[in-house]
Amino acid sequence: MQISLTQAIYKNFLGHAPDWYKQVIVGFLILNPLLFTFVSPYLAGWVLVLEFIFTLAMALKCYPLQPGGLLLMQAIIIGMTSPEHMYHEIKTNISVVLLLIFMVAGIYFMKELLLYLFTKLLINVKNKRALSLAFIAASAFLSAFLDALTVIAVIIAVGMGFYSIYHKVASGKDFHHDHDHSSDDDVEQPSRDDLENFRAFLRNLMMHAAIGTALGGVMTMVGEPQNLIIADKAGWDFGEFFVRMSPITIPVFFAGLLTSYVVEKAGWFGYGAKLPNVVRNILSDYNTHMDEQRTTRDNARLIAQALIGIWLVVGLAGHYAEVGLIGLSVIVLATAMSGVIEEHALGKAFEEALPFTALLCIFFGIVAVIIDQGLFKPVIEWVLSYEGKTQLVLFYLANGALSMVSDNVFVGSVYITEVTTALHNGQITRDQYDMLAVAINTGTNLPSVATPNGQAAFLFLLTSAIAPLLRLSYGRMVYMALPYTIVLTLVGLAATYFGLYELTDTLYDLHWIEHHNAAAGVPAAPSPH
């Protein structure tokens, strides 16, 4: 049946997305210039931010790059921001862009080792609560020394490996057969029920691991991009950053582990899913099969990947180069030692990272709109008008709230810049500045777990290839993160209120602050008490 050109254009617009979704996006594109021109640029800016969040929330209906990109292009055309400002934001965050391009691809070439190690873990640890704690603790530890995006890329690679192994067997194929694991057409009962239970089980592990990246990432200056920015402006080294954050990060870490145990034991918020015995048996058979089939060359690859993994941890912990460049070195080393030298074989490693990299650049364009329209300025000025512990609490909460709707890297950068300016202008003392820097860092890292757009690692998980396979939607991620959001936010808030002044007194007693101030050229100040 022939259709008109107009119908064809409409059908092509956003492809297989539902009609209602297409109509909503068209409505957004009609509304925005009217609001900007005739009502208020400030209001139009906030509406654009909410529209972009909507595209993220509907990621399983349509990848956010296309609708979000259309909204941003229109915003640039009508004058909400400029291409130059967007380019500036991308350049400012080039380390994150390089990390996505190279580090995620580098992890792809180490998936053989990762699958080997995590398969052993999954088979040998049969208690789900213990396994969940192992995932969250391992993710936290790795995120304290690596970037959270790197860690979540590892977890995604492991989850994809587990899923594809079972899906292949459930579809009636052997381990060595090629298979499309995105289609369930060949999966019949009772395997289909086991597949749904396995999906729920993997969703649990993915979310625990994602939360773990936040728990570990907040602790050290290399855990998150904004941590580096804050540490640089405050003049803190690795050890001082960890010590200053510890009154908040240590209690929050153990609170996170306790939350994991409770939700798994009680089966709340979608947790508590068990690994079906048939799936465990298949993974065990796969492990045995791979052990039997593994040759000396295969063992040599595993050893090489293990050594590269050590270099990865040491290189990132020591910050010997930008994260993306270390990722590039991993690609070179892993492919050279694995015999992967064909161009088409290399290209597969970049399939996962590049769409998200493009989406992140769109996000930086939205950040440019936020800056140009001054969307956060009233909140910043309001918080700075308070003093003492109230100011600390409000900084923590304001950073957390803004990070939920924006990006924690952007929010942290904006706030630490404003506070540094206040220090230089004599509005606050050095000890106030240090405590505010801690509140900014923890505020951007902890409450932001509430939504996928709050943290790049969560957004990466939502838009990854594994999310639709596990039915991990935006709403489900928010729901499953809710207990952690409540606990981490409240524990962090209490620690901010009761812990920072006590730590400052302790550092004065140890003469740390005097030495730090002297090195920074800041006059000595009395203890806040």
Side-chain angles (χ1 to χ4, degrees):
M1 179 180 176
Q2 288 291 332
I3 59 176
S4 68
L5 180 60
T6 303
Q7 290 174 315
I9 292 173
Y10 178 78
K11 289 286 186 182
N12 289 338
F13 178 66
L14 298 182
H16 297 296
D19 286 342
W20 68 264
Y21 183 88
K22 296 180 181 183
Q23 292 162 10
V24 168
I25 298 300
V26 171
F28 288 164
L29 293 171
I30 294 172
L31 174 65
N32 291 343
L34 296 177
L35 279 179
F36 184 79
T37 305
F38 300 109
V39 181
S40 165
Y42 182 82
L43 176 62
W46 268 114
V47 169
L48 177 69
V49 171
L50 295 175
E51 290 169 352
F52 185 71
I53 293 172
F54 171 81
T55 67
L56 298 177
M58 295 291 109
L60 297 186
K61 302 295 183 184
C62 178
Y63 192 70
L65 174 64
Q66 292 80 17
L70 289 172
L71 292 170
L72 175 63
M73 289 172 65
Q74 184 192 60
I76 292 174
I77 291 170
I78 65 179
M80 284 190 179
T81 188
S82 65
E84 291 78 17
H85 193 174
M86 178 179 173
Y87 181 60
H88 171 75
E89 291 300 319
I90 293 173
K91 282 200 302 182
T92 301
N93 293 277
I94 189 64
S95 59
V96 180
V97 175
L98 291 178
L99 180 149
L100 279 170
I101 295 173
F102 294 130
M103 186 61 78
V104 175
I107 295 301
Y108 175 89
F109 293 111
M110 296 180 62
K111 65 180 182 180
E112 187 177 358
L113 172 68
L114 296 170
L115 192 57
Y116 172 81
L117 294 175
F118 277 90
T119 301
K120 300 290 186 185
L121 177 66
L122 191 65
I123 291 171
N124 294 323
V125 181
K126 297 184 179 180
N127 184 290
K128 174 67 183 306
R129 293 189 288 277
L131 185 64
S132 298
L133 289 173
F135 261 74
I136 196 170
S139 296
F141 176 79
L142 290 174
S143 295
F145 294 97
L146 314 181
D147 187 273
L149 276 169
T150 304
V151 177
I152 209 66
V154 170
I155 298 300
I156 289 171
V158 170
M160 284 291 287
F162 288 154
Y163 184 84
S164 60
I165 290 166
Y166 174 70
H167 200 278
K168 187 181 295 185
V169 174
S171 301
K173 298 179 180 178
D174 291 329
F175 296 131
H176 61 277
H177 287 155
D178 292 330
H179 177 62
D180 177 16
H181 51 248
S182 64
S183 173
D184 295 346
D185 293 343
D186 295 331
V187 182
E188 299 179 355
Q189 294 290 6
S191 296
R192 191 174 287 269
D193 290 336
D194 291 326
L195 177 61
E196 290 303 321
N197 292 330
F198 188 37
R199 280 180 172 135
F201 175 82
L202 286 180
R203 279 198 302 271
N204 290 178
L205 295 186
M206 292 293 109
M207 287 302 298
H208 288 315
I211 296 296
T213 64
L215 294 176
V218 69
M219 289 186 173
T220 66
M221 61 182 288
V222 296
E224 290 279 355
Q226 74 269 23
N227 299 19
L228 280 170
I229 297 170
I230 293 170
D232 178 64
K233 289 187 179 296
W236 299 339
D237 59 20
F238 191 94
E240 184 171 0
F241 187 97
F242 176 81
V243 170
R244 286 191 178 277
M245 297 298 159
S246 60
I248 301 174
T249 58
I250 299 300
V252 164
F253 173 73
F254 287 105
L257 293 182
L258 180 61
T259 304
S260 172
Y261 182 87
V262 170
V263 295
E264 283 292 341
K265 183 175 179 62
W268 294 339
F269 297 94
Y271 293 101
K274 300 292 192 294
L275 179 64
N277 288 329
V278 64
V279 180
R280 183 183 298 278
N281 292 336
I282 288 173
L283 293 177
S284 180
D285 290 343
Y286 171 80
N287 181 59
T288 303
H289 170 77
M290 294 306 294
D291 286 344
E292 292 173 350
Q293 297 294 316
R294 194 169 288 113
T295 65
T296 305
R297 287 187 64 183
D298 294 330
N299 289 329
R301 275 200 302 274
L302 289 177
I303 293 171
Q305 289 175 19
L307 293 174
I308 295 167
I310 294 173
W311 150 241
L312 177 64
V313 173
V314 172
L316 289 172
H319 201 62
Y320 295 123
E322 282 296 333
V323 178
L325 299 183
I326 293 176
L328 181 58
S329 74
V330 168
I331 294 175
V332 173
L333 293 171
T335 54
M337 299 307 296
S338 300
V340 182
I341 56 175
E342 295 82 10
E343 183 178 357
H344 71 276
L346 292 170
K348 292 180 180 178
F350 294 89
E351 291 178 358
E352 180 77 7
L354 288 183
F356 183 74
T357 306
L359 175 61
L360 196 65
C361 289
I362 297 297
F363 184 82
F364 291 141
I366 300 295
V367 168
V369 172
I370 291 173
I371 296 173
D372 285 344
Q373 301 305 318
L375 302 188
F376 291 172
K377 190 174 181 180
V379 179
I380 295 172
E381 292 176 347
W382 173 68
V383 172
L384 280 173
S385 67
Y386 288 85
E387 296 179 355
K389 287 188 176 183
T390 303
Q391 188 183 61
L392 286 178
V393 168
L394 289 176
F395 259 82
Y396 175 87
L397 292 175
N399 276 268
L402 293 176
S403 293
M404 291 179 191
V405 299
S406 179
D407 169 63
N408 56 3
V409 178
F410 163 69
V411 175
S413 301
V414 169
Y415 265 82
I416 195 63
T417 300
E418 293 290 335
V419 171
T420 303
T421 301
L423 174 66
H424 291 160
N425 292 339
Q427 296 174 260
I428 57 175
T429 63
R430 176 68 206 202
D431 53 283
Q432 279 180 287
Y433 175 84
D434 288 333
M435 288 186 284
L436 288 175
V438 174
I440 291 169
N441 184 68
T442 52
T444 56
N445 277 292
L446 298 176
S448 58
V449 302
T451 63
N453 41 295
Q455 298 213 8
F458 282 51
L459 186 60
F460 185 40
L461 175 59
L462 174 68
T463 57
S464 68
I466 199 172
L469 299 179
L470 301 185
R471 311 301 188 254
L472 190 59
S473 64
Y474 186 101
R476 180 167 264 164
M477 284 188 72
V478 171
Y479 177 69
M480 295 183 74
L482 184 58
Y484 288 106
T485 302
I486 296 171
V487 172
L488 303 190
T489 300
L490 293 180
V491 173
L493 180 62
T496 299
Y497 187 81
F498 295 108
L500 288 186
Y501 274 85
E502 285 69 15
L503 173 68
T504 303
D505 275 342
T506 302
L507 294 181
Y508 266 104
D509 292 340
L510 296 174
H511 304 290
W512 189 341
I513 285 183
E514 286 92 331
H515 292 310
H516 172 80
N517 287 347
V522 178
S527 166
H529 291 306

